Amino acid sequence: MTADLSAMSFEEAMAELAQLANRYAAGLHELGLRTGDVLVSMVHNCAEAIAIYFAAYQSGLYIVAVNWHLTGPEVAYILGDSEASLVFTTASYLEPLSELHESLPRLERIVLTIDECEALCLADRLRKAGMTLAVQG
């Protein structure tokens, strides 16, 4: 999110958050997620975390919050048990998640909250791990 919500009035911040949630919901639909699918959110406390929750709810998705303090085996268990097909996260978790990909056959996509330039730099690494990179503007 490019705007600083703390510098806005409550109404402006909620409107900005709603627009972001709507963009995320449209993106999730374009990625093929449908009512009843599972999305994992693994991000720090930020506006994008709230927006992805709103997007998941309005799209009829189940959302599983994964604490970013957990270890690789703990995250792998949650991802496998939830049967998530998509993880919404930040670039700092990309490498640990890509290492878990082999043991998570249902995990099809990781969506990062980064800018397009960073995403393109990471795309090759993901392809080598057998994963798809989705760029959300």
Side-chain angles (χ1 to χ4, degrees):
M1 177 173 270
T2 57
D4 179 9
L5 296 181
S6 64
M8 299 178 182
S9 71
F10 177 78
E11 291 79 13
E12 291 170 329
M14 290 300 101
E16 184 79 19
L17 196 56
Q19 288 177 349
L20 182 59
N22 289 338
R23 285 199 320 266
Y24 283 167
L28 294 171
H29 184 76
E30 287 175 22
L31 289 172
L33 273 74
R34 299 293 180 257
T35 300
D37 286 342
V38 180
L39 174 147
V40 165
S41 174
M42 190 172 167
V43 294
H44 293 91
N45 295 335
C46 58
E48 289 82 1
I50 297 167
I52 198 65
Y53 272 82
F54 289 163
Y57 293 137
Q58 78 184 54
S59 300
L61 304 175
Y62 292 102
I63 189 159
V64 177
V66 174
N67 187 311
W68 54 274
H69 291 287
L70 296 178
T71 64
E74 293 168 322
V75 172
Y77 175 81
I78 293 169
L79 291 174
D81 189 57
S82 69
E83 298 185 348
S85 59
L86 184 140
V87 175
F88 182 83
T89 191
T90 62
S92 59
Y93 304 119
L94 178 60
E95 192 166 330
L97 286 169
S98 64
E99 291 171 4
L100 299 173
H101 184 256
E102 295 289 322
S103 62
L104 300 167
R106 291 198 39 109
L107 181 60
E108 298 171 6
R109 294 182 176 89
I110 296 176
V111 176
L112 303 174
T113 61
I114 59 176
D115 65 40
E116 188 172 347
C117 181
E118 292 172 300
L120 293 174
C121 293
L122 295 168
D124 189 49
R125 287 178 41 200
L126 281 175
R127 265 189 239 106
K128 289 177 184 174
M131 302 174 82
T132 302
L133 178 66
V135 177
Q136 175 72 36

